[in-house]
């Protein structure tokens, strides 16, 4: 086990080794109109070829926003990586995002500078401590990288140094780091997940300065990436301070592009959020048969195994048979329809029971047949996944259990998700969260790579009442209506529980 995985450290050596390995693989190119426009716009902004050097790129769930950063870095930084004078700073809200972006961007640069020569790649890697910084409280240097591939290896400890010397071209960092930039020069910012973190409000004055061409001092340009339709935050902050929203306000439709493909959600499971949150423009390029290919579930056999964990009754049998139908027919979406969420607290007992049965069946099936795929159980409330997790732990089983808010930006192969209260109640405003933050539903229905089981009242979503003067609530209803349409067309495995 690596130090990174054992202690939660993200080592810069593993980052560079990952970049080195990725550089040896074929390059991914997305030849779609919105991606060509987004990449071209970002490149022109960074180069200073746009009248207003500000770009906003909206990336729905699984759309691959980082691909735009990769291509931009490959074309712009690789041109004069060793001799250029300006500084590009990539800023993300988490250590993991900064680390992953570094690996992917460096792989593009290595491939561009040394496409077929491993020795030349090693030479470039040895120069990285003078050219690159990767900063975050989890990101550390733990030894030597590429031992064996590059002789005795490469020392990379300077890459995590907060001091940014005059030759450094590229910095990957979280918003909490405070690098010391030694020399005055043009600084160009790339801000990722800019619709999520309220901490990015510190950049709003910079957006205004750039928009009004008042950038005599740095930064001279900025590219912001994010998705306002996934903006989950405290209502007290107000969405007007989200960096992505501010950028769109000043840009209008100019220099604002939405990526319209998802590489995460297998078709047609992207349809509900596409209709509810993206005006029907988002489409999947993932064939559902490819994601579920080669797997089969025998309900009779699985129920015999499950009998060791629980007394098998009709409810569990219906869950397993629904999963059998979905997996064996490559249907990526299962809906277990329940009555409206119980009033009172945030623990609906029927949903918790069905969530437990579904998670239990999938967990045992994956483990029994050695299927190396991830599984998570989620809800917008803490109570529901915790209740499911408690019952699983009692039986010696464990799955990822988390709120939708905690999984934002993440994904799993299999997701069991329990809907929250599908209604508005002024007296229970805290718990009726879809009314306050419709974006929660978008995130909740877009975390799966293979299959998602939705537990709750989908028909209630389709009847979600609009709030006079707040058009955003129509997104909940449109999403529910799209789910009902899929059920009626037979595109969803559907079971009803009372």
């Amino acid at each position: 086990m690596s130090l990174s995985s054992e202690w939660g450290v993200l080592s810069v050596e593993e980052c560079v080794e990952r970049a080195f390995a990725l550089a040896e693989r074929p390059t991914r190119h997305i030849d779609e109109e919105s991606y060509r426009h987004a990449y071209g716009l970002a490149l022109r902004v960074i180069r200073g070829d746009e009248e207003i050097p500000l770009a906003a790129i909206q990336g729905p769930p699984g759309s691959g926003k980082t691909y735009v950063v990769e291509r931009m870095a490959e074309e712009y930084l690789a041109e004069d990586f060793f001799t250029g004078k300006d500084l590009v700073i990539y800023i993300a809200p988490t250590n993991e995002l900064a680390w992953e972006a570094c690996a992917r961007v460096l792989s593009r640069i290595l491939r561009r500078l040394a496409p077929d020569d491993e020795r030349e790649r090693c030479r470039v890697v040895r120069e990285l401590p003078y050219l690159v910084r990767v900063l975050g409280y989890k990101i550390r240097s733990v030894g030597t990288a590429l031992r064996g591939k590059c002789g005795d290896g490469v020392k990379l400890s300077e890459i995590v140094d907060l001091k940014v010397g005059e030759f450094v071209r590229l910095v990957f960092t979280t918003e909490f780091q405070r690098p010391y930039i030694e020399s005055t020069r043009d600084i160009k910012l790339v801000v990722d997940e800019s619709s999520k973190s309220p901490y990015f409000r510190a950049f709003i004055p910079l957006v205004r300065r750039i928009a009004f061409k008042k950038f005599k001092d740095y930064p001279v340009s900025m590219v912001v990436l994010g998705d306002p339709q996934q903006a989950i935050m405290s209502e007290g902050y107000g969405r007007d301070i989200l960096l992505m929203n501010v950028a769109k306000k000043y840009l209008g439709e100019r220099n604002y592009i939405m990526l319209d493909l998802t590489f995460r959600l297998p078709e047609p499971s992207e349809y509900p959020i596409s209709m509810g949150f993206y005006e029907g423009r988002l489409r999947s390029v993932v064939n559902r048969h490819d994601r579920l290919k080669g797997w089969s579930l025998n309900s009779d056999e699985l129920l015999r195994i499950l009998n060791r964990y629980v007394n098998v009754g009709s409810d569990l049998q219906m869950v397993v048979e629904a999963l059998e139908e979905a997996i064996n027919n490559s249907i990526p979406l299962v809906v277990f329809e329940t009555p409206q969420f119980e009033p009172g607290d945030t623990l609906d007992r029927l949903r918790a029971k069905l969530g437990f049965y579904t998670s239990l069946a999938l967990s045992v099936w994956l483990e029994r047949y050695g299927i190396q795929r991830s599984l998570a159980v989620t809800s917008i409330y803490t109570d529901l996944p915790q209740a499911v997790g408690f019952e699983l732990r009692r039986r010696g089983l464990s799955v990822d259990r988390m709120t939708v808010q905690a999984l934002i930006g993440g994904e799993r192969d299999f997701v069991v998700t329990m809907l929250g209260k599908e209604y508005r109640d002024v007296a229970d405003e805290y718990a009726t969260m879809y009314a306050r933050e419709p974006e929660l539903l978008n995130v909740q229905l877009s975390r799966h790579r293979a299959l998602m089981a939705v537990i709750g009242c989908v028909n209630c979503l389709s009847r979600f009442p609009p709030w006079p003067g707040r058009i955003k609530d129509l997104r909940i209803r449109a999403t529910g209506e799209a789910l009902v349409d899929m059920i009626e067309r037979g595109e969803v495995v559907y079971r009803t529980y009372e």
Side-chain angles (χ1 to χ4, degrees), residues 136-175:
Y137 80 93
K138 289 184 180 179
I139 301 172
R140 304 177 195 171
S141 175
V142 297
T144 302
L146 297 166
R147 190 184 299 274
K149 279 206 177 267
C150 298
D152 293 333
V154 182
K155 296 286 188 181
L156 299 172
S157 57
E158 286 184 54
I159 290 183
V160 296
D161 191 346
L162 284 170
K163 186 167 68 175
V164 178
E166 61 178 317
F167 299 111
V168 173
R169 298 291 320 283
L170 188 55
V171 176
F172 300 88
T173 182
T174 68
E175 71 263 38

Side-chain angles (χ1 to χ4, degrees), residues 270-286:
E270 86 286 359
Y271 181 73
I273 65 166
S274 179
M275 299 304 295
F277 293 87
Y278 302 104
E279 301 176 334
R281 294 170 58 193
L282 182 66
R283 57 190 175 91
S284 173
V285 295
V286 181

